[in-house]
Amino acid sequence: MTQKNKTKEPIIPVLMPAKLMSKISGIGENTLRKLMDSGEIEYLPVGNRRLLCLEAIYDYYQRHKTPVKVTILPLADLND
């Protein structure tokens, strides 16, 4: 699906089916389809196809990422 223009730079489509998005995002095709079915990820229905955009993947990531746990040491421990 990735086309090349005359300058030989890859053109990445704005909207893509789950099969192509799975290759780009690293999320499995079936997982993407389940996320669309459950309403956890946005998609655009066009005919009988469901198209995804990268922003939908980024939004899903922001909502489900695991926060970093920061350990704060007392000042006495830093001087040792």
Side-chain angles (χ1 to χ4, degrees), residues 4-61:
K4 295 197 178 210
N5 58 15
K6 293 180 181 179
T7 61
K8 298 193 179 191
E9 295 176 10
I11 297 174
I12 298 175
V14 176
L15 299 170
M16 58 197 87
K19 185 173 186 174
L20 181 57
M21 183 60 80
S22 69
K23 293 178 183 176
I24 292 172
S25 68
I27 301 172
E29 186 177 343
N30 288 334
T31 301
L32 288 173
R33 292 183 195 284
K34 287 178 186 176
L35 291 172
M36 287 189 282
D37 291 342
S38 66
E40 290 193 57
I41 193 168
E42 295 179 335
Y43 65 92
L44 179 67
V46 179
N48 63 349
R49 300 173 71 194
R50 297 184 293 178
L51 302 176
L52 298 159
C53 65
L54 284 174
E55 287 80 14
I57 301 296
Y58 293 138
D59 179 57
Y60 178 79
Y61 167 75

